[in-house]
Amino acid sequence: MSIDLNTMPKLGFGLMRLPEKDGTIDIDHVNRMVDAYMQAGMNYFDTAYVYHGGNSEKTIKEALVKRYPRDRFMLATKLPAWILKTPEDRDRVFSEQLERCGVDYFDFYLLHSIEDGSNGETYERLDCFNWGLKKKAEGKIRHFGFSFHGSPAYLIQVLDAHPEIEFVQIQLNYADWKNPVVRSGELYEILHARNIPMIIMEPVKGGTLASLKPELEQMYKAVRPEASVASWALRFVGSLPGVMTILSGMSTADQVADNIKTFSHFEPLTTEERELVDKVRTIMLDTPLIGCTSCRYCAPGCPMNISIPDVFRAVNTMSLYGDVFRPKAFYGGVLSLGHGRASECIACGQCEGVCPQHLPIIDLLKDAAEKLDT
């Protein structure tokens, strides 16, 4: 079944950063977000086996599957390589996902986070590509693809080996377009040249592009006073041909409303606006920041229970705004919830092994400890 780009909603609902209350997902808040998104005529939901410790898939069952007819929405989830040890694990995880989500099939199914090395090797060793095609033949998967965090050369290798792939999900935003690690622009050009539909993740770079230095925000506001800073990042991605759906990991009803405003009457960037985004990016990248997108893959396995993304958020806030009091107060609040200090890192390396951004987390935590724990 081919994919018609014209039938896909430009805005996809990412379920990685759902609102929480008292340490659990706030289902009432999620219900309101889902309703607003559906009422706007949009219907693509993206989750994964590991999001929110497995609770993201369970939440979508309550907030969407039980409340809307199955033919009114499209649901995507992912198979995680790092959970798989044997071929039998593929079916075990898949069956668990169907049960968690309360569905009989997935509209889109992805091999999660293919990259050079371990994940890619695991999917090949366990024959996951052919397994996915069998699930598609059984009607359990409508469309089969993968999410990618690797090098351009490896993307070409995977695409050459697996022409059956229908779509690819990549990280892309204007800050990472020329990032020497993420290399968003190169990945985009490879996929676009092959006419492979793209789903985009991290268009606002984990919220980093929704809150900039005041002088940078003012540059945007001078052109579009009523538009949010985040909308510029979303419009940058949405203006690129070949982009099928843009995922936003929405955490509040206000974010849903703002994104709906951006996409309900979508306006591609003009030439002048594209030049402004380039100018903002140049100035922004002069300030060195930790390239954490708050995916939180690192956090569950930390033996010292360090909330690594929150530590980096505090450090980045210091760097961007020259403010010490507020980031340290935020950090203190994180510690009060029982999380470990940055200085308590034991350098086990599990975090670096799962980081899609390939950050040197151990060294970054040492630097963070000097800023936050003194």
Side-chain angles (χ1 to χ4, degrees):
M1 187 184 300
S2 62
I3 300 172
D4 182 356
L5 291 179
N6 296 318
T7 67
M8 297 292 293
K10 205 71 168 178
L11 172 64
F13 197 135
L15 299 160
M16 187 170 71
R17 301 183 177 93
L18 296 174
E20 295 187 351
K21 183 178 181 180
D22 300 326
T24 60
I25 295 174
D26 186 345
I27 188 65
D28 291 335
H29 195 166
V30 176
N31 286 347
R32 294 194 298 273
M33 295 165 64
V34 167
D35 290 345
Y37 174 75
M38 291 286 286
Q39 288 165 12
M42 303 173 190
N43 64 349
Y44 184 91
F45 295 84
D46 172 88
T47 184
Y49 185 80
V50 296
Y51 292 172
H52 284 274
N55 290 314
S56 175
E57 290 180 332
K58 296 176 183 177
T59 298
I60 204 60
K61 178 179 182 178
E62 300 299 322
L64 178 70
V65 177
K66 287 185 176 180
R67 300 172 64 238
Y68 287 91
R70 183 66 182 91
D71 60 358
R72 285 196 56 194
F73 61 85
M74 291 176 282
L75 182 59
T77 194
K78 311 174 187 76
L79 183 73
W82 52 99
I83 302 294
L84 308 178
K85 305 299 180 186
T86 68
E88 290 73 27
D89 288 336
R90 302 169 306 182
D91 285 317
R92 176 184 60 80
V93 171
F94 189 79
S95 295
E96 186 177 353
Q97 291 178 300
L98 290 173
E99 173 62 27
R100 281 180 178 180
C101 295
V103 295
D104 296 322
Y105 66 91
F106 293 110
D107 300 275
F108 289 76
Y109 198 79
L110 299 82
L111 302 182
H112 198 167
S113 192
I114 289 185
E115 57 185 331
D116 313 52
S118 59
N119 285 358
E121 291 171 359
T122 296
Y123 291 128
E124 294 290 357
R125 176 173 58 84
L126 297 179
D127 199 24
C128 291
F129 287 91
N130 283 325
W131 171 85
L133 291 179
K134 290 176 182 177
K135 289 297 178 187
K136 184 179 176 183
E138 294 169 4
K140 298 295 185 181
I141 296 172
R142 297 289 173 85
H143 299 290
F144 184 50
F146 59 83
S147 64
F148 190 79
H149 285 285
S151 68
Y154 190 54
L155 177 60
I156 292 172
Q157 179 183 328
V158 176
L159 294 176
D160 286 345
H162 299 286
E164 70 274 13
I165 286 300
E166 298 175 83
F167 67 95
V168 176
Q169 184 167 306
I170 61 170
Q171 175 173 324
L172 193 156
N173 54 69
Y174 67 76
D176 286 327
W177 188 255
K178 295 182 179 180
N179 184 315
V181 174
V182 181
R183 300 168 78 173
S184 290
E186 293 179 65
L187 299 180
Y188 168 81
E189 294 296 348
I190 291 168
L191 294 168
H192 184 48
R194 296 184 180 221
N195 294 314
I196 297 174
M198 285 169 264
I199 297 175
I200 304 303
M201 54 186 161
E202 304 293 357
V204 193
K205 199 170 172 61
T208 302
L209 303 182
S211 179
L212 305 177
K213 287 182 178 180
E215 57 265 35
L216 296 182
E217 293 194 3
Q218 186 53 43
M219 291 170 66
Y220 285 144
K221 292 295 183 181
V223 176
R224 285 180 172 252
E226 303 303 320
S228 68
V229 175
S231 70
W232 284 84
L234 293 169
R235 290 177 61 225
F236 172 86
V237 178
S239 300
L240 298 170
V243 169
M244 182 168 68
T245 293
I246 303 165
L247 300 176
S248 177
M250 297 178 278
S251 303
T252 69
D254 287 344
Q255 289 175 357
V256 175
D258 184 58
N259 288 345
I260 289 173
K261 178 182 177 182
T262 299
F263 285 100
S264 291
H265 303 286
F266 184 78
E267 298 179 51
L269 293 177
T270 64
T271 300
E272 293 76 13
E273 288 175 331
R274 177 62 184 263
E275 291 173 352
L276 176 58
V277 170
D278 289 342
K279 185 176 182 180
V280 168
R281 172 177 53 213
T282 300
I283 298 172
M284 181 182 67
L285 294 181
D286 283 339
T287 303
L289 297 177
I290 300 171
C292 174
T293 64
S294 296
C295 69
R296 308 197 78 86
Y297 292 177
C298 59
C302 177
M304 305 309 293
N305 194 29
I306 301 170
S307 184
I308 297 168
D310 291 323
V311 171
F312 292 164
R313 177 181 173 188
V315 173
N316 280 343
T317 301
M318 283 184 175
S319 299
L320 279 173
Y321 301 104
D323 180 8
V324 174
F325 174 76
R326 275 179 285 268
K328 282 200 169 186
F330 168 77
Y331 179 62
V334 172
L335 298 181
S336 71
L337 296 175
H339 292 288
R341 293 181 173 275
S343 57
E344 293 174 341
C345 171
I346 61 173
C348 67
Q350 77 81 29
C351 52
E352 294 187 356
V354 297
C355 177
Q357 310 305 317
H358 309 291
L359 298 176
I361 295 175
I362 294 171
D363 289 338
L364 291 171
L365 284 176
K366 290 179 182 177
D367 293 339
E370 294 180 3
K371 293 181 173 70
L372 298 171
D373 288 334
T374 57

